[in-house]
């Protein structure tokens, strides 16, 4: 009798563990050879100084191949690409979140949320500096999350000494630690140039992913980027203003064109198979979380078995002092029309970049201006049409120029902000009473 009781107990415990283990995904590093990643900063700096776009784009495609390659793990029947295994910003900042201990817990791999960048508004006494506009987020039904590579997550999980001798050890996930570091800089009249956290390690890689819902039983319209001129709002061409769409076919069996509602207007759209996107089949929990976040109900709401499809991904790496910046977005494997930044030029072959990952175009901005150290140099423009178009003058923006201003506790964007303007890292009007956070906004956003 007692023996049988224990047998039942053991079976129960065992099956419970098996269910929990389905959630146990361990972060895997990018599996590229050292000759490809991380590259020595001197090599990349030389390419940046020489404006060797072909070499820098090749490196960006190599990174793309690295983060999108299959990991060794699967989840809900789907082989996970490397990036899916990484900790989300929430996980990485959740306390002593050492990779191994988090991996043993049930994980929320995909914390879909309204992109915070889109609700980043700055109020100044007297005038509202609206850096980014919010409302289109819900209209375009975009959801986003941020992921940190193991090198990046492990770096934020532990305390770091201050560069100046005698400064406090600081954990960048803790606002009390960062406040103390800022006060230390003030007390010691630390030169503005040195008011900063220590550098992330060279292999640190951060991502921002953007998704949109698609139905499992019907065609869904997905806006297709065709430049500001094909938007009802050419100066701020957010995806909900584009006048071209494709129709995603979840049965992967149809071709040709169809009439479909594209941002409120009926248009002729090319039918494209779901397999040309990276798509996640959502379970019931995720579907209801998304419905709540986007206030979706009735026919437009998601159910178990519907999809979240990947429209865009930002990738940054700390291989050079100011990080490398590349962004990818779904463009049906083609170059966007006209002379707008971004293309599929130089994409590696299908042995390196597989299946749906070949549908995305890319632009880079590894310096703010060119020549890279000339404050009056020519602006380098690169933006993701699904994200930065929501910002004031986003269509002339540069990733590095905005991220250079990432600080703790955070300062209003000054009147002098130019979306692609040179940033002097020793400028007291930008950085006094601040800790510069090595171009990473997540520290300001998630330290607690
Ligand atoms: C005008 C400002 C601005 C521009 C331009 C901008 N970003 Fe960001 N970015 C942000 C803010 C604010 C966040 C944090 C909030 C969020 O995650 O939405 C962020 C978050 C990120 C993250 C997550 C890590 C982090 O720093 O928190 C990555 C990666 C990223 N951006 C890459 C890029 C790339 C690549 C580009 C250029 C194509 C770019 N960004 C352009 C403001 C900007």
């Amino acid at each position: 009798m007692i023996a049988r009781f224990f047998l039942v107990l053991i079976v129960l415990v065992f099956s419970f563990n098996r269910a929990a283990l389905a959630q146990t995904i361990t972060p895997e590093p990018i599996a590229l050879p050292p000759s490809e990643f991380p590259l020595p900063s001197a090599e990349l700096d030389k390419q940046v100084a020489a404006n060797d776009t072909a070499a820098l784009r090749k490196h960006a495609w190599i990174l793309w191949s690295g983060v999108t390659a299959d990991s060794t793990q699967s989840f809900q029947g789907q082989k996970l690409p490397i990036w899916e295994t990484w900790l989300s910003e929430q996980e990485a900042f959740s306390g002593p979140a050492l990779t191994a201990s988090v991996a043993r817990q049930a994980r929320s791999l995909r914390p879909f949320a309204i992109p915070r960048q889109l609700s980043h508004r700055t109020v100044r006494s007297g005038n509202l500096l609206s850096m980014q506009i919010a409302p289109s987020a819900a209209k375009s039904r975009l959801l986003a999350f941020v992921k940190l590579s193991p090198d990046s997550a492990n770096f934020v999980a532990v305390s770091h000494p201050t560069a100046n001798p005698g400064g406090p050890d600081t954990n960048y996930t803790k606002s009390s630690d960062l406040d103390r570091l800022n006060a230390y800089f003030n007390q010691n009249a630390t030169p503005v140039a040195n008011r900063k956290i220590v550098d992330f390690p060279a292999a640190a890689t951060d991502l921002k992913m953007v998704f949109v819902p698609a139905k499992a039983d019907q065609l869904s319209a997905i806006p297709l980027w065709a430049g500001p001129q094909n938007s009802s709002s050419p100066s701020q061409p957010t995806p909900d203003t584009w006048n071209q769409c494709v129709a995603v076919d979840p049965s992967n069996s149809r071709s040709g064109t169809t009439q479909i509602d594209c941002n409120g207007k009926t248009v002729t759209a090319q039918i494209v198979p779901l397999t040309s996107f990276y798509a996640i089949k959502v379970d019931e929990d995720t579907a209801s979380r998304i419905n709540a976040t986007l206030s979706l109900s009735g026919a437009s709401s998601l159910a178990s078995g519907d999809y979240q499809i990947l429209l865009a991904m930002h990738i940054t790496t700390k291989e050079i002092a100011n990080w490398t910046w590349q962004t990818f977005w779904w463009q049906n494997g083609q170059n966007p029309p006209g002379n707008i930044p971004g293309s599929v030029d130089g994409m590696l072959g299908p042995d390196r970049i597989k299946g749906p990952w070949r549908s995305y175009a890319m632009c880079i901005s590894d310096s703010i201006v060119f020549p890279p150290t000339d404050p009056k140099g020519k602006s380098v423009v690169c933006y993701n049409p699904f994200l930065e178009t929501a910002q004031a003058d986003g269509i002339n923006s540069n990733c590095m120029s905005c991220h250079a201003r990432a600080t703790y506790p955070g300062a209003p964007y000054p009147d002098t902000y130019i979306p692609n303007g040179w940033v002097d890292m020793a400028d007291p009007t930008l950085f006094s009473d601040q800790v510069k956070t090595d171009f990473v906004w997540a520290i300001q956003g998630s330290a607690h």
Side-chain angles (χ1 to χ4, degrees):
M1 185 64 199
I2 289 181
R4 193 188 294 169
F5 171 77
F6 275 111
L7 192 68
V8 169
L9 195 70
I10 286 166
V11 169
L12 272 178
V13 167
F14 190 67
S15 40
F16 172 76
N17 263 343
R18 274 237 299 244
L21 275 174
Q23 300 262 36
T24 307
I25 303 294
T26 311
E28 295 181 27
I30 293 177
L32 289 169
S35 60
E36 290 190 333
F37 177 80
L39 283 186
S41 59
E43 192 174 331
L44 285 167
D45 284 339
K46 222 163 95 188
Q47 294 170 1
V48 174
N51 201 18
D52 189 347
T53 319
L56 292 166
R57 282 185 64 88
K58 181 173 175 205
H59 183 60
W61 287 124
I62 288 173
L63 293 173
W64 184 240
S65 77
V67 300
T68 62
D70 282 350
S71 72
T72 61
Q73 302 168 81
S74 296
F75 181 60
Q76 294 177 338
Q78 203 173 0
K79 191 79 161 177
L80 293 175
I82 293 276
W83 66 262
E84 282 256 40
T85 68
W86 293 0
L87 297 193
S88 66
E89 179 177 335
Q90 291 85 333
E91 289 173 320
F93 281 80
S94 66
L98 280 170
T99 315
S101 66
V102 171
R104 267 183 256 118
Q105 300 162 15
R107 292 186 48 197
S108 163
L109 280 188
R110 299 143 180 170
F112 296 110
I114 306 252
R116 228 175 330 132
Q117 188 182 347
L118 300 184
S119 52
H120 202 80
R121 273 164 177 264
T122 324
V123 186
R124 270 196 137 189
S125 53
N127 61 334
L128 174 73
L129 276 178
S130 172
M131 264 302 305
Q132 286 125 341
I133 52 163
S136 72
K139 252 202 297 175
S140 54
R141 301 185 304 148
L142 301 181
L143 292 178
F145 51 78
V146 166
K147 292 256 186 183
L148 281 69
S149 72
D151 288 277
S152 187
N154 289 339
F155 174 82
V156 298
V158 296
S159 295
H160 298 278
T162 304
N164 315 26
D169 278 4
T170 306
N171 183 310
Y172 306 143
T173 67
K174 289 199 188 131
S175 44
S176 53
D177 275 26
L178 287 160
D179 286 332
R180 190 177 54 187
L181 181 60
N182 201 29
Y184 168 84
F185 288 148
N186 285 345
Q187 282 149 17
N188 289 274
T190 303
V192 174
N194 300 340
R195 300 184 67 105
K196 55 181 187 182
I197 65 168
V198 298
D199 283 5
F200 277 69
T205 304
D206 295 341
L207 313 173
K208 182 147 70 176
M209 335 291 308
V210 181
F211 291 83
V212 76
K215 305 290 281 182
D217 57 357
Q218 65 193 61
L219 298 176
S220 300
I222 303 293
L224 178 69
W225 176 236
Q229 70 279 15
N230 287 302
S231 152
S232 58
S233 167
S235 62
Q236 232 159 17
T238 51
D240 58 301
T241 68
W242 301 351
N243 60 22
Q244 295 188 17
C245 283
V246 294
V248 184
D249 167 28
S251 73
N252 296 309
S253 60
R254 298 176 57 180
S255 56
T257 59
T258 186
Q259 298 291 108
I260 200 162
D261 183 311
C262 174
N263 290 322
K265 290 212 178 85
T266 303
V267 303
T268 305
Q270 187 190 345
I271 299 174
V272 296
L274 181 71
T275 50
S276 68
F277 293 85
Y278 180 72
I280 291 168
K281 199 178 241 191
V282 298
D283 58 20
E284 204 169 314
D285 272 5
T286 312
S288 51
R289 206 153 35 83
I290 291 169
N291 291 338
T293 310
L294 289 173
S295 311
L296 300 179
S297 60
S300 67
S301 65
L302 282 196
S304 164
D306 285 339
Y307 297 95
Q308 279 287 80
I309 63 177
L310 181 73
L311 293 181
M313 189 192 307
H314 280 334
I315 305 184
T316 64
T317 69
K318 181 65 187 183
E319 293 167 281
I320 52 176
N322 293 356
W323 299 69
T324 72
W325 301 86
Q326 38 271 306
T327 191
F328 302 78
W329 66 92
W330 196 86
Q331 192 74 55
N332 208 8
Q334 286 155 8
N335 289 345
N339 214 5
I340 36 185
S343 71
V344 294
D345 295 352
M347 188 189 293
L348 308 182
D351 54 324
R352 303 275 324 246
I353 296 174
K354 298 197 170 78
W357 304 110
R358 304 192 64 74
S359 307
Y360 298 78
M362 174 262 288
C363 68
I364 55 170
S365 60
D366 293 323
S367 64
I368 299 175
V369 289
F370 190 82
T373 52
D374 176 2
K376 294 201 170 64
K378 188 174 175 307
S379 298
V380 175
V381 172
C382 169
Y383 59 93
N384 194 306
F386 287 97
L387 276 172
E388 281 78 45
T389 44
Q391 293 157 200
D393 212 17
I395 56 172
N396 290 309
S397 67
N398 172 293
C399 318
M400 195 187 277
S401 179
C402 183
H403 276 259
R405 290 160 187 251
T407 59
Y408 179 91
Y413 291 95
D415 299 329
T416 52
Y417 175 77
I418 306 172
N420 52 30
W422 174 258
V423 178
D424 174 0
M425 300 306 283
D427 184 347
T429 63
L430 295 178
F431 301 119
S432 56
D433 202 25
Q434 297 290 323
V435 178
K436 285 177 278 178
T437 54
D438 196 16
F439 296 75
V440 178
W441 281 108
I443 293 175
Q444 182 192 118
S446 287
H448 56 91

